[in-house]
Amino acid sequence: MTRLALLPAILLAACGGDAAPPIQTAAAATLAATPSGTVATAESTTVNRPLTLPSQLYVEHDAAVVARSSGIVESILVDMGTRVTAGQPLARLESTDQEIALAQAREQAANASQRVERQRALATAGVVTRADSEQVEFEHRGTELALRKAQRDYDLTRIVAPFAGVITARMARVQRLVNDGDSLFRVTALAPVLATVHVPEGAAAALRVGAEAQVLTAGGTSARARVVRASPVLDPASGTRELVLQLAPGASMTPGSSVTVRLGAERRRVLAIPRAAVARDGYALVQENGRTTLRAVTLGADLDGDRVEVLSGIEAGEKVVQAAP
């Protein structure tokens, strides 16, 4: 139905046929009753409304897993979407050279340990000089350091998860040469899910760590949250205070989602009219200069007393027709 066709219908419903309802200029709470409709005055009122702030969900642990040494990717053990635990192997680089070096270092360290034990026994018996004993001890410590380095070189060919989470990206490919620092995977923890907001100075003083909040997604999903960290100072550039909120366990929200956070409250002036004065398609009948016109209205939050906030389309003091029940 077009707006022009809709207007007579709304007028008839609001006015009860051909008789126009009497107009009363009292406050919005006072309505001029008629057999089929009422007229209300849009008025400005002070309400306590929760702060509504935009944010984006994230997790503390979200990191790229990079190669720590050069080599050919020998095998890949996980893929995108795989859940992993801390230390779980993700991939292996070719390690033949590292295995040989590690075996040699172990052999040399074992020989050095035997030599140093014999040297200590001879030193106790007083048949070797102190300088000879110090030289053997020095060589023994050198083989232990070489063994540690060989072990580390081998361990770096094993790519492991730095923390528990899920694989959100895989760049590694089998038989591809990688260099030190090349990204191979991305691991993202699934919890805890966090959101950061910047609260205006006027409302920031009343918010403390532990304050409850509500997080809403664009799809209408909601979850409880609480403030877990709060900046002790205001940002001088924006005049806001940073708060970090943590969603309650079990919240079915994905990190990276854009959300709206409602927390605390602030006193503000709003323009209010009865909700029944606005049709489902967002239009209202406004009386001005003895005429009734159909006007598009942008609504805000619901208020008490079956009223609704008007963001645009109606000015304070204008009269709206409320359709008869």
Side-chain angles (χ1 to χ4, degrees):
M1 182 181 294
T2 65
R3 298 182 192 174
L4 293 178
L6 182 63
L7 177 56
I10 297 180
L11 286 172
L12 289 173
C15 300
D18 25 297
I23 297 176
Q24 188 167 327
T25 57
T30 303
L31 302 177
T34 69
S36 57
T38 55
V39 173
T41 302
E43 70 168 6
S44 180
T45 184
T46 300
V47 297
N48 287 321
R49 301 299 300 168
L51 289 168
T52 301
L53 303 168
S55 185
Q56 190 170 34
L57 301 181
Y58 69 97
V59 289
E60 200 74 57
H61 293 153
D62 178 26
V65 179
V66 301
R68 303 294 298 275
S69 65
S70 300
I72 302 295
V73 178
E74 183 178 71
S75 61
I76 296 175
L77 308 176
V78 296
D79 207 340
M80 185 185 303
T82 304
R83 291 176 179 260
V84 296
T85 58
Q88 178 177 331
L90 307 180
R92 289 194 296 264
L93 303 183
E94 290 185 356
S95 57
T96 302
D97 294 342
Q98 289 81 358
E99 291 173 0
I100 294 173
L102 179 59
Q104 291 176 337
R106 285 173 175 166
E107 190 69 25
Q108 292 171 358
N111 291 336
S113 295
Q114 293 177 357
R115 287 185 58 195
V116 78
E117 290 298 330
R118 289 195 300 266
Q119 192 72 11
R120 289 169 181 171
L122 293 175
T124 302
V127 296
V128 294
T129 65
R130 181 176 179 180
D132 291 339
S133 296
E134 290 177 348
Q135 180 63 31
V136 173
E137 292 284 353
F138 176 77
E139 292 174 354
H140 176 248
R141 289 193 297 270
T143 57
E144 287 184 335
L145 293 175
L147 176 58
R148 291 174 56 187
K149 183 179 184 306
Q151 183 67 57
R152 174 172 171 75
D153 290 342
Y154 174 79
D155 292 342
L156 292 181
T157 65
R158 271 45 186 166
I159 313 300
V160 299
F163 47 81
V166 62
I167 304 297
T168 53
R170 175 174 71 86
M171 290 72 76
R173 299 292 183 270
V174 175
Q175 294 303 309
R176 178 175 293 181
L177 173 65
V178 296
N179 296 311
D180 187 5
D182 287 352
S183 294
L184 303 179
F185 302 92
R186 187 166 198 87
V187 180
T188 303
L190 297 177
V193 181
L194 307 174
T196 298
V197 294
H198 294 85
V199 181
E201 180 178 0
L207 295 173
R208 298 285 187 273
V209 172
E212 297 292 327
Q214 184 183 27
V215 178
L216 302 171
T217 66
T221 304
S222 67
R224 293 184 301 105
R226 64 183 182 87
V227 178
V228 293
R229 293 195 292 275
S231 173
V233 298
L234 294 172
D235 177 19
S238 62
T240 60
R241 181 185 183 195
E242 181 177 284
L243 301 180
V244 178
L245 298 95
Q246 179 177 314
L247 272 64
S252 57
M253 294 186 180
T254 306
S257 301
S258 296
V259 297
T260 299
V261 177
R262 293 179 179 174
L263 76 164
E266 63 174 348
R267 293 180 61 83
R268 57 190 178 97
R269 299 288 294 178
V270 300
L271 185 64
I273 62 173
R275 170 164 285 281
V278 183
R280 292 181 180 178
D281 56 1
Y283 288 87
L285 286 172
V286 181
Q287 289 192 351
E288 53 181 347
N289 300 325
R291 301 177 60 185
T292 304
T293 59
L294 191 63
R295 194 182 297 176
V297 179
T298 302
L299 301 181
D302 290 330
L303 306 176
D304 56 354
D306 292 328
R307 299 181 301 168
V308 66
E309 177 186 3
V310 177
L311 301 179
S312 66
I314 296 176
E315 301 294 334
E318 290 189 312
K319 296 173 180 59
V320 293
V321 179
Q322 181 177 347

